C-alpha cells in the first residue's frame, strides 16, 4: 500500500490556498495512508483547517526561515518532511514555490518527479504535451514519485476544521541555504490585476477591438472602457489574443492594461475556467488551443465565417462586440 504525502506551503496569513486543498482532494481519492506535510512561517492554523481530512500524521517544518519562497530552505524542508513521512508518493500543488523545488527534492530522494500533472489515479497520472494537443497517461514503478498537480484539476477538499496535532520535523540549515533574501514583491495594484485563475469566466479580447469600425475609425478608448467596465462588474479574468498584445510592441494604439501575461493560446497560457467569452478575436487554431480547458465557449464576432464558427465555440454571436458589451454592462449595472 502506498503512503501518500500531501506537501504544501502555507500562505502569508498562515492558511492553505485553494490549490493546496485541491491537492488534498485529489490525494483523498487514491486510497493508501495519507500524511500531510506543511512548510511555512506558521502552520498550526493550516493544519487545523484540514484537521478532519483523515491524515494519519501532520508533519511540519515551520519558522521565520520558511516564510518566503527560497530554493535552499524550501528544498531542505521538503526533503526532511518526505523522509520523515516515508512517503512513496508525494503530491504537491503546482504553485511557483513548489514547482521550483520539487524536481530537486525528487533527485535528493532518489525518486522521480512529474510536473504539470492534470489528473491522478492510484497508479497513474495524466499530463498534456505539445501545448495541450496530446494527453499522456504515465505509470511509474520508481518511488518516491513526486507529483506537482496543476490548479483547477480536482475539487478542493472540504471538511471539518479542528485541532490537529502537528509533529515538527527538524532541519539543520547551512548558512548557504539562506543566502537568498526576498527584499520585496512587485505586483500590480489589486484593482489593476486582470488575471484571476479562480474566476468563473475567462473574457478574451482580440485585435478587433483596436481595428477600424463601421465609421472608418478605431475606438480604442471606448474599447478599454467597455472591457474594464465588464471585468469590474463580472470579476472575469482577462485573456488576450497574441495579435492584440503584440500591437503594443509595434507602437500602435493599444489597451493600456493588456500585457503579454494575458496572452492565451499555443504560445500563451491555457487557463482553466468553467466559461469563456471571446470578443473581437478570430478563433484561429493556435489561439483556440488555449481554450482546451474552458468548458463552455462563446464568442462574439462580426464575421459569420470566423474560426469560432468552424466548431471552435459552443455559441457564436454574429454581432458587433462594442454594442453587445455596452448592453451587457448596462444589464450588469442594473443588477
Ligand atoms: C506558431 C504560432 C503560434 C501562435 N500562438 C498564438 C497564441 O498563443 N495565442 C494567440 O492568440 N494567437 C497565436 N497565434 C496567432 C494566431 O494565429 C492569430 O494570428 C491571432 O490569434 C489573431 O488574433 P486576433 O483574432 O485578435 O486578430 P484578427 O485575426 O485580426 O481578428 C480580429 C477579429 O475581430 C473581429 N472584429 C473586428 N471588429 C469587431 C467588432 N466590432 N465586433 C466583433 N468582432 C469584431 C474581426 O471580424 C476579426 O475576426 C500564433 C500563430 C502561430 C503561427
Amino acid at each position: 500500500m502506498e503512503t501518500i504525502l500531501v506537501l504544501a506551503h502555507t500562505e502569508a496569513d498562515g492558511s492553505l490556498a485553494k490549490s493546496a486543498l485541491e491537492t488534498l482532494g485529489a490525494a483523498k481519492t487514491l486510497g493508501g495512508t495519507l500524511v500531510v506535510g506543511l512548510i511555512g512561517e506558521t502552520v498550526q492554523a493550516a493544519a487545523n483547517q484540514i484537521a478532519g481530512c483523515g491524515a494519519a500524521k501532520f508533519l511540519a517544518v515551520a519558522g521565520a526561515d520558511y516564510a518566503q519562497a527560497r530554493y535552499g530552505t524550501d528544498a531542505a524542508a521538503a526533503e526532511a518532511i518526505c523522509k520523515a513521512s516515508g512517503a512513496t508518493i508525494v503530491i504537491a500543488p503546482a504553485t511557483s514555490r513548489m514547482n521550483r523545488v520539487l524536481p530537486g527534492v525528487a533527485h535528493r530522494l532518489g525518486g522521480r518527479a512529474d510536473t504539470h500533472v492534470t489528473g491522478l489515479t492510484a497508479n497513474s497520472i495524466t499530463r498534456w504535451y505539445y501545448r495541450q494537443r496530446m494527453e499522456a497517461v504515465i505509470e511509474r514503478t520508481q518511488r518516491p514519485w513526486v507529483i506537482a498537480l496543476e490548479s483547477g484539476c480536482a475539487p478542493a477538499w472540504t471538511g471539518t476544521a479542528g485541532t490537529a496535532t502537528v509533529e515538527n520535523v527538524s532541519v539543520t540549515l547551512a548558512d548557504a541555504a539562506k543566502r537568498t533574501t526576498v527584499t520585496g514583491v512587485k505586483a500590480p495594484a489589486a484593482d489593476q490585476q486582470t488575471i484571476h485563475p479562480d474566476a468563473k469566466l475567462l473574457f478574451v479580447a482580440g485585435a478587433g477591438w483596436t481595428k477600424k469600425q463601421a465609421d472608418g475609425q478605431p475606438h480604442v478608448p471606448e474599447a478599454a472602457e467597455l472591457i474594464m467596465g465588464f471585468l469590474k462588474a463580472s470579476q472575469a479574468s482577462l485573456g488576450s489574443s497574441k495579435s492584440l498584445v503584440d500591437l503594443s510592441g509595434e507602437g500602435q494604439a493599444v489597451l493600456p492594461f493588456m500585457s503579454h501575461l494575458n496572452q492565451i493560446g499555443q504560445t500563451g497560457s491555457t487557463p482553466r475556467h468553467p466559461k469563456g467569452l471571446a470578443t473581437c478575436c478570430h478563433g484561429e487554431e493556435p489561439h483556440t488551443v488555449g481554450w482546451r480547458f474552458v468548458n463552455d465557449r462563446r464568442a462574439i464576432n462580426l464575421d459569420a465565417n470566423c474560426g469560432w464558427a468552424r466548431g471552435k465555440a459552443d455559441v457564436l454571436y454574429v454581432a458587433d462586440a462594442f454594442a453587445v458589451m455596452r448592453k451587457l454592462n448596462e444589464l450588469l449595472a442594473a443588477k
Side-chain angles (χ1 to χ4, degrees):
M1 193 170 66
E2 307 277 8
T3 299
I4 296 167
L5 171 68
V6 170
L7 185 64
H9 57 82
T10 55
E11 301 301 304
D13 65 358
S15 69
L16 285 177
K18 186 162 172 253
S19 58
L21 298 175
E22 289 172 359
T23 305
L24 182 58
K28 288 282 293 174
T29 65
L30 303 182
T33 306
L34 178 67
V35 179
V36 168
L38 299 171
I39 303 169
E41 184 168 23
T42 58
V43 294
Q44 187 63 51
N48 290 348
Q49 191 183 344
I50 54 170
C53 73
K57 267 191 238 175
F58 289 85
L59 303 174
V61 173
D65 282 335
Y66 306 96
Q68 281 165 322
R70 173 169 51 189
Y71 185 89
T73 42
D74 281 347
E79 180 188 359
I81 290 175
C82 290
K83 282 185 176 156
S85 69
T88 49
I89 295 184
V90 180
I91 312 174
T95 59
S96 62
R97 183 168 179 178
M98 279 297 176
N99 277 345
R100 194 181 310 159
V101 298
L102 290 176
V105 171
H107 180 72
R108 291 181 190 188
L109 298 170
R112 295 288 183 273
D114 278 294
T115 55
H116 298 294
V117 171
T118 53
L120 296 168
T121 70
N123 54 12
S124 69
I125 56 125
T126 51
R127 60 157 296 170
W128 294 77
Y129 286 98
Y130 186 39
R131 301 303 304 187
Q132 331 303 340
R133 282 187 165 85
M134 296 187 297
E135 190 181 26
V137 178
I138 299 170
E139 294 177 6
R140 286 191 187 279
T141 50
Q142 182 92 21
R143 297 290 183 270
W145 190 4
V146 179
I147 294 165
L149 180 68
E150 290 291 312
S151 67
C153 297
W157 178 83
T158 52
T160 43
T163 307
T165 307
V166 178
E167 282 176 43
N168 284 309
V169 177
S170 71
V171 179
T172 312
L173 285 178
D175 282 345
K178 298 191 270 186
R179 260 185 333 214
T180 305
T181 310
V182 179
T183 55
V185 176
K186 282 191 182 173
D191 60 347
Q192 286 166 16
Q193 181 63 265
T194 56
I195 299 171
H196 306 288
D198 288 338
K200 290 198 183 109
L201 177 71
L202 172 70
F203 177 86
V204 178
W209 283 108
T210 62
K211 299 267 158 79
K212 284 181 184 165
Q213 295 299 309
D215 60 0
Q217 301 297 319
H219 295 274
V220 179
E222 191 192 345
E225 208 180 297
L226 287 171
I227 294 169
M228 280 318 273
F230 179 71
L231 293 180
K232 272 200 190 119
S234 66
Q235 298 298 305
S237 190
L238 178 64
S240 173
S241 71
K242 179 166 162 50
S243 296
L244 182 55
V245 293
D246 281 353
L247 289 177
S248 58
E250 291 157 14
Q252 294 190 37
V254 285
L255 301 172
F257 45 80
M258 199 64 95
S259 84
H260 280 93
L261 292 175
N262 294 98
Q263 188 193 317
I264 67 155
Q266 185 184 19
T267 46
S269 65
T270 43
R272 290 178 170 79
H273 297 273
K275 294 185 176 190
L277 177 63
T279 54
C280 291
C281 62
H282 187 79
E284 298 272 0
E285 180 55 34
H287 168 92
T288 50
V289 163
W291 283 60
R292 172 116 327 156
F293 302 113
V294 173
N295 301 336
D296 177 339
R297 310 167 191 191
R298 299 188 179 203
I300 308 171
N301 200 306
L302 281 173
D303 177 4
N305 251 332
C306 65
W308 302 113
R310 297 159 196 264
K312 308 279 171 50
D314 300 301
V315 179
L316 169 66
Y317 304 95
V318 180
D320 180 349
F322 281 82
V324 175
M325 297 316 294
R326 199 177 300 120
K327 184 70 189 168
L328 207 48
N329 284 351
E330 277 170 29
L331 292 173
L332 285 169
K335 240 176 141 189

